[in-house]
Amino acid sequence: MRDKSAVLSMLSPKKISVIYLLILVIAIFGVTIPGLFLTDVTFQSVARSQAVVGILALAVLIPFIAGEFDISVGANLALSVALMAWMSNEYPGLGLVGMIVIAIGICSLVGLINGILIGKLGLNSFIATLATSQVLVAIALKLSNNQMVVASLSKGFMDWGQGLSLGIPNGLFVTLAVALVVWYVLQYTKAGRHVFASGFNREAARLSGVRSERVVVGSFIASGAIAGLAGVVFIAQVGTFSNSIGMPFLFPAFAAVFLGATQFNQRPNVWGTLLAIFTLALGVQGLQLWLSESGFWITPLFNGLALVAAVMFTRRQAVRKATAVEPTEPDDPAPLVTAGTHAAPEQQPREVLGR
């Protein structure tokens, strides 16, 4: 009887609603437009385009778990693309590996600056990273002279970025590799537990010995590095830089993080985030195919509505869980982590801190 209850709880829409949404999306468009939707081309197209969004969402996820927002990830991705295109034309002698290391290194430096502004100086993360993003846009525009820049990268690199392995776009393997690393660090290391503790209740974490300021700084450095890697994957797929790169990736990344936070364990997590990304992307793709050439407006509309719905659902789940948890019970699970929201110190489970 207990096993049956556990299975029913695991299959509850409250925990895996995105899986049910994914099944519904596939069923609706599979019945209405099977010849267009249920094809290898459709699924490969979604996987290729969302590989970059998936990496960027993981960049958003880490500081979000630490209780902060990183609005600059889209601009940081654009900076990485601009650097790769610029270096490939101006300094080809650096070599492909050198260019990748420099691009990711500079994006990590941006993350360090964000971390110092927020973790050390105490600036609001939304305002600080919004300001940083504008500086990054200015740098990218300066490097490109506000023009489209075609990168002079090796044919092998471009073939890899645009190619398939086992019928799967190569970029998706990078997304899954980054996801595995982030998942392992957050789930099984002391550093990951400190990130969750800092986001759940920063003052309680500090009193328990967690160096919360360093945790926040580190989360932004990781976010910058991952955003830089997303830029590398993007230019491998496209081969050019334009001033429209960056911002279109930001909204689906945040929507996925918020929606993914309501899945599985009711807190921000890697696999819920990736599942949300591809579910939303398949929904957009299905609507575009259904509306044919008149569906160019679907993506921004769908992403905007999805972000609002995800935030509302996350908020509802957080309020419901907060009212259900008794602070005096030490074995209660930690409530959903919401950026910028911290519980009272006495509610912080000490096991989260790994002490």
Side-chain angles (χ1 to χ4, degrees):
M1 191 68 178
R2 182 176 299 178
D3 292 340
K4 182 179 180 180
S5 298
V7 171
L8 291 176
S9 176
M10 184 175 62
L11 297 177
S12 170
K14 295 178 181 179
K15 290 188 175 182
I16 57 171
S17 58
V18 172
I19 293 180
Y20 293 121
L21 177 60
L22 176 61
I23 294 172
L24 182 63
V25 166
I26 294 175
I28 290 175
F29 294 117
V31 170
T32 56
I33 47 172
L36 294 175
F37 187 76
L38 296 179
T39 65
D40 292 342
V41 174
T42 295
F43 289 97
Q44 288 174 357
S45 174
V46 169
R48 179 179 288 105
S49 64
Q50 297 309 302
V52 174
V53 180
I55 299 173
L56 200 66
L58 295 172
V60 171
L61 180 66
I62 299 175
F64 182 76
I65 291 175
E68 306 292 350
F69 290 106
D70 189 353
I71 306 298
S72 68
V73 290
N76 219 358
L77 179 151
L79 176 62
S80 176
V81 176
L83 285 168
M84 290 290 293
W86 177 70
M87 288 187 293
S88 68
N89 288 306
E90 299 295 329
Y91 301 99
L94 290 172
L96 177 62
V97 174
M99 295 176 197
I100 292 174
V101 170
I102 291 173
I104 294 177
I106 290 176
C107 291
S108 301
L109 179 61
V110 172
L112 174 61
I113 294 171
N114 282 335
I116 292 174
L117 291 174
I118 296 158
K120 295 292 185 182
L121 301 182
L123 273 64
N124 178 276
S125 61
F126 185 91
I127 300 300
T129 56
L130 183 62
T132 303
S133 68
Q134 294 305 296
V135 176
L136 299 181
V137 169
I139 296 173
L141 291 177
K142 177 63 177 177
L143 289 174
S144 64
N145 198 26
N146 198 23
Q147 297 178 350
M148 179 177 288
V149 180
V150 178
S152 300
L153 296 167
S154 66
K155 184 177 183 299
F157 181 64
M158 298 303 299
D159 288 342
W160 173 85
Q162 299 168 4
L164 304 172
S165 296
L166 304 176
I168 300 172
N170 291 324
L172 187 60
F173 289 106
V174 179
T175 306
L176 294 176
V178 175
L180 281 170
V181 172
V182 173
W183 169 75
Y184 179 82
V185 171
L186 292 174
Q187 195 73 21
Y188 294 106
T189 69
K190 186 176 181 179
R193 291 191 292 271
H194 286 184
V195 173
F196 274 107
S198 297
F200 176 41
N201 191 320
R202 190 161 300 167
E203 182 61 18
R206 185 187 66 80
L207 293 174
S208 299
V210 176
R211 297 181 176 181
S212 297
E213 291 184 355
R214 291 189 179 184
V215 170
V216 171
V217 173
S219 71
F220 277 99
I221 293 174
S223 177
I226 296 173
L229 178 61
V232 172
V233 174
F234 179 84
I235 200 167
Q237 293 179 339
V238 179
T240 60
F241 167 82
S242 68
N243 57 15
S244 62
I245 293 172
M247 187 58 67
F249 293 112
L250 187 62
F251 285 96
F254 267 95
V257 169
F258 276 104
L259 186 56
T262 65
Q263 305 302 303
F264 305 132
N265 55 15
Q266 305 297 300
R267 67 181 185 180
N269 65 90
V270 169
W271 305 119
T273 297
L274 293 186
L275 180 62
I277 284 172
F278 290 101
T279 299
L280 296 175
L282 278 173
V284 170
Q285 185 77 356
L287 286 171
Q288 288 177 332
L289 292 173
W290 187 46
L291 295 172
S292 188
E293 295 180 359
S294 63
F296 56 87
W297 48 272
I298 287 294
T299 299
L301 176 64
F302 196 90
N303 287 336
L305 293 176
L307 180 56
V308 172
V311 172
M312 291 176 63
F313 194 59
T314 302
R315 178 68 176 174
R316 182 181 177 185
Q317 291 287 80
V319 171
R320 180 184 299 171
K321 199 162 184 73
T323 57
V325 171
E326 288 293 335
T328 57
E329 292 293 331
D331 293 330
D332 282 343
L336 176 69
V337 177
T338 304
T341 302
H342 307 288
E346 60 270 17
Q347 296 182 25
Q348 173 64 34
R350 295 188 64 82
E351 61 269 20
V352 174
L353 307 180
R355 295 173 61 82

mmCIF file of all heavy atoms in Angstrom, residues 42 84 87 96 186 216 222 256 258 275 328 335:
data_model
loop_
_atom_site.group_PDB
_atom_site.id
_atom_site.type_symbol
_atom_site.label_atom_id
_atom_site.label_comp_id
_atom_site.label_asym_id
_atom_site.label_seq_id
_atom_site.Cartn_x
_atom_site.Cartn_y
_atom_site.Cartn_z
ATOM 1 N N THR A 42 11.775 17.808 -37.664
ATOM 2 C CA THR A 42 11.204 18.638 -36.603
ATOM 3 C C THR A 42 11.964 18.459 -35.297
ATOM 4 O O THR A 42 12.378 19.440 -34.662
ATOM 5 C CB THR A 42 9.726 18.292 -36.387
ATOM 6 O OG1 THR A 42 8.989 18.625 -37.565
ATOM 7 C CG2 THR A 42 9.155 19.070 -35.209
ATOM 8 N N MET A 84 34.673 35.351 -30.568
ATOM 9 C CA MET A 84 35.088 34.264 -31.453
ATOM 10 C C MET A 84 35.164 34.735 -32.900
ATOM 11 O O MET A 84 36.146 34.438 -33.617
ATOM 12 C CB MET A 84 34.115 33.090 -31.328
ATOM 13 C CG MET A 84 34.182 32.334 -30.016
ATOM 14 S SD MET A 84 35.693 31.373 -29.828
ATOM 15 C CE MET A 84 35.485 30.126 -31.111
ATOM 16 N N MET A 87 38.190 37.388 -33.154
ATOM 17 C CA MET A 87 39.517 36.775 -33.074
ATOM 18 C C MET A 87 39.822 35.915 -34.290
ATOM 19 O O MET A 87 40.965 35.855 -34.752
ATOM 20 C CB MET A 87 39.621 35.936 -31.797
ATOM 21 C CG MET A 87 39.719 36.739 -30.522
ATOM 22 S SD MET A 87 40.039 35.729 -29.029
ATOM 23 C CE MET A 87 38.496 34.808 -28.898
ATOM 24 N N LEU A 96 41.986 27.547 -32.766
ATOM 25 C CA LEU A 96 40.622 27.365 -32.300
ATOM 26 C C LEU A 96 40.560 27.203 -30.786
ATOM 27 O O LEU A 96 39.733 27.848 -30.118
ATOM 28 C CB LEU A 96 39.998 26.146 -32.980
ATOM 29 C CG LEU A 96 38.577 25.789 -32.545
ATOM 30 C CD1 LEU A 96 37.610 26.921 -32.872
ATOM 31 C CD2 LEU A 96 38.126 24.486 -33.203
ATOM 32 N N LEU A 186 25.798 20.154 -7.877
ATOM 33 C CA LEU A 186 24.711 20.628 -7.009
ATOM 34 C C LEU A 186 24.174 19.532 -6.103
ATOM 35 O O LEU A 186 23.798 19.794 -4.958
ATOM 36 C CB LEU A 186 23.577 21.191 -7.860
ATOM 37 C CG LEU A 186 23.860 22.491 -8.618
ATOM 38 C CD1 LEU A 186 22.685 22.841 -9.518
ATOM 39 C CD2 LEU A 186 24.155 23.636 -7.660
ATOM 40 N N VAL A 216 28.115 33.123 -3.641
ATOM 41 C CA VAL A 216 27.457 33.965 -4.646
ATOM 42 C C VAL A 216 28.436 34.342 -5.753
ATOM 43 O O VAL A 216 28.119 34.262 -6.943
ATOM 44 C CB VAL A 216 26.864 35.224 -3.990
ATOM 45 C CG1 VAL A 216 26.384 36.214 -5.047
ATOM 46 C CG2 VAL A 216 25.714 34.846 -3.064
ATOM 47 N N ALA A 222 30.633 30.746 -12.453
ATOM 48 C CA ALA A 222 30.166 29.572 -13.188
ATOM 49 C C ALA A 222 29.147 29.957 -14.250
ATOM 50 O O ALA A 222 29.175 29.446 -15.379
ATOM 51 C CB ALA A 222 29.555 28.561 -12.213
ATOM 52 N N ALA A 256 12.224 28.420 -18.576
ATOM 53 C CA ALA A 256 12.534 27.022 -18.295
ATOM 54 C C ALA A 256 12.983 26.817 -16.855
ATOM 55 O O ALA A 256 12.610 25.836 -16.209
ATOM 56 C CB ALA A 256 13.612 26.527 -19.255
ATOM 57 N N PHE A 258 12.190 28.683 -14.190
ATOM 58 C CA PHE A 258 11.031 28.837 -13.312
ATOM 59 C C PHE A 258 10.097 27.634 -13.410
ATOM 60 O O PHE A 258 9.643 27.100 -12.389
ATOM 61 C CB PHE A 258 10.261 30.110 -13.655
ATOM 62 C CG PHE A 258 10.810 31.340 -13.006
ATOM 63 C CD1 PHE A 258 11.551 32.260 -13.742
ATOM 64 C CD2 PHE A 258 10.602 31.597 -11.661
ATOM 65 C CE1 PHE A 258 12.067 33.402 -13.150
ATOM 66 C CE2 PHE A 258 11.103 32.732 -11.063
ATOM 67 C CZ PHE A 258 11.841 33.642 -11.803
ATOM 68 N N LEU A 275 13.908 19.636 -19.272
ATOM 69 C CA LEU A 275 12.622 19.109 -19.730
ATOM 70 C C LEU A 275 11.678 20.244 -20.115
ATOM 71 O O LEU A 275 10.981 20.174 -21.141
ATOM 72 C CB LEU A 275 11.995 18.246 -18.635
ATOM 73 C CG LEU A 275 10.645 17.607 -18.954
ATOM 74 C CD1 LEU A 275 10.777 16.645 -20.133
ATOM 75 C CD2 LEU A 275 10.099 16.874 -17.734
ATOM 76 N N THR A 328 8.893 23.734 13.111
ATOM 77 C CA THR A 328 9.481 23.054 14.259
ATOM 78 C C THR A 328 9.880 21.623 13.949
ATOM 79 O O THR A 328 10.520 20.973 14.755
ATOM 80 C CB THR A 328 8.482 23.037 15.429
ATOM 81 O OG1 THR A 328 7.268 22.403 14.988
ATOM 82 C CG2 THR A 328 8.182 24.450 15.888
ATOM 83 N N PRO A 335 11.666 24.104 1.448
ATOM 84 C CA PRO A 335 10.712 24.631 0.489
ATOM 85 C C PRO A 335 11.388 25.066 -0.789
ATOM 86 O O PRO A 335 12.598 25.182 -0.852
ATOM 87 C CB PRO A 335 10.095 25.841 1.228
ATOM 88 C CG PRO A 335 11.129 26.242 2.210
ATOM 89 C CD PRO A 335 11.826 24.985 2.611
#
